[in-house]
Amino acid sequence: MKSKTLIFFLSVLASSSFAQLKTDSLSNKPKKENFADDWAALSKYQKENELLPPPTRKEKRVVFLGSSIFEFWKQKDPEYFKDKPYLDRGISGQISPQLLIRFRQDVINLKPKVVIILAGSNDIAGNTGHVTNDKIMDNIKSMAELARLHHIKVILCKYLPVYEYPWNKRIKAADSIVNLNEKIVAYSKERNYTILDYWTPLVDERKGQRAELTVDGVHPNLAGYKIMEDVTEVAIKKALRNRH
């Protein structure tokens, strides 16, 4: 009887010890970092920025700040960015207030000579609600003013034409983008910022993107990006000559 009691006691003790070891092992497991508060995805380029050396005295560094149009550009045509002082800081799906939040980390702190700001389409697409063009302009103006304060030359883009968004076809974007572009041009002229026109060379008869230059009516294909590269180079040279 005593031996049975002893065996039972030892088995309970062993089970308890195993459970404790398992609990301790789980508690020592490193916790996965929670990025729920990183609404603007600052973490995406954080390490890349930290490893980036400061620009040399003669370097004419240019930062491309935008969403998927810019992010996919370096995937579609990486040769365009190779061996150039160009930093692509596009994040797919981002709206203009997210770009504004990222502006210090992904633009100012990198000390570029020029920033190219492409913003507004995802706001219009209704990715996260209903936003007016005036609100988009408020964010664009804030970014431009921050750049000028830090002696960074500003290029503001006329957005690429979009007739409709494949993921939200109830929104007919064409006229909204035309209106936003008019506001961007008026503000750029008022403040003497360089205008980069992505709309005119890509537009078709219904104010959408030319079918032979796009993959989905929103994002350019390689041929579309090649056209964008030509007008971008002209705008960068003009911005570098701009005294403001």
Side-chain angles (χ1 to χ4, degrees):
M1 184 70 179
K2 285 183 178 180
S3 62
K4 286 182 179 180
T5 303
L6 181 61
I7 290 169
F8 175 74
F9 175 76
L10 288 173
S11 67
V12 170
L13 183 63
S15 297
S16 175
S17 299
F18 177 75
Q20 185 61 45
L21 282 170
K22 190 175 179 183
T23 302
D24 290 346
S25 174
L26 288 172
S27 64
N28 290 330
K29 191 176 179 180
K31 288 184 179 179
K32 190 174 180 181
E33 194 167 355
N34 184 356
F35 288 104
D37 59 337
D38 188 11
W39 178 67
L42 288 164
S43 54
K44 182 173 177 71
Y45 291 111
Q46 184 176 354
K47 285 186 171 55
E48 192 174 332
N49 291 345
E50 288 170 356
L51 294 172
L52 188 71
T56 61
R57 282 181 61 191
K58 293 185 178 180
E59 182 180 335
K60 295 171 181 176
R61 181 174 288 180
V62 180
V63 174
F64 292 63
L65 185 74
S67 54
S68 57
I69 302 295
F70 280 173
E71 183 173 10
F72 297 166
W73 192 343
K74 60 188 173 186
Q75 297 167 14
K76 279 273 195 287
D77 194 9
E79 287 299 312
Y80 176 63
F81 294 91
K82 187 179 178 183
D83 300 325
K84 291 189 185 78
Y86 295 172
L87 302 175
D88 188 317
R89 292 296 182 265
I91 298 182
S92 181
Q94 288 211 327
I95 56 178
S96 57
Q98 290 173 303
L99 302 182
L100 177 56
I101 289 173
R102 288 202 291 124
F103 203 82
R104 182 167 297 279
Q105 176 188 280
D106 290 343
V107 180
I108 294 170
N109 292 352
L110 305 184
K111 301 186 183 306
K113 293 284 186 189
V114 179
V115 61
I116 302 174
I117 301 169
L118 179 65
S121 180
N122 285 322
D123 306 65
I124 290 171
N127 283 12
T128 52
H130 302 285
V131 183
T132 66
N133 280 354
D134 285 337
K135 292 295 183 185
I136 296 169
M137 283 306 303
D138 284 346
N139 293 319
I140 290 173
K141 289 175 182 179
S142 293
M143 288 185 275
E145 288 168 11
L146 280 169
R148 180 162 278 179
L149 182 66
H150 289 271
H151 310 291
I152 301 167
K153 296 181 185 296
V154 177
I155 297 176
L156 297 183
C157 303
K158 287 180 67 175
Y159 214 95
L160 291 69
V162 177
Y163 177 72
E164 66 181 13
Y165 298 97
W167 60 89
N168 195 352
K169 291 190 176 183
R170 66 183 179 78
I171 292 178
K172 303 305 178 189
D175 289 336
S176 293
I177 288 178
V178 169
N179 176 260
L180 176 63
N181 285 342
E182 288 171 351
K183 291 178 182 294
I184 288 170
V185 169
Y187 174 66
S188 297
K189 288 180 176 178
E190 176 190 320
R191 300 302 302 270
N192 197 27
Y193 296 134
T194 302
I195 301 165
L196 174 45
D197 184 0
Y198 287 140
W199 193 86
T200 302
L202 302 178
V203 71
D204 67 9
E205 68 283 351
R206 62 176 190 170
K207 302 177 191 171
Q209 228 163 116
R210 286 161 54 193
E212 71 275 18
L213 300 177
T214 182
V215 295
D216 58 1
V218 177
H219 302 93
N221 57 22
L222 182 57
Y225 277 121
K226 289 295 184 185
I227 290 173
M228 289 175 62
E229 288 164 13
D230 289 341
V231 293
T232 298
E233 288 304 304
V234 172
I236 290 171
K237 288 175 184 174
K238 184 177 179 182
L240 288 170
R241 292 195 302 266
N242 194 337
R243 293 183 180 180
H244 293 272

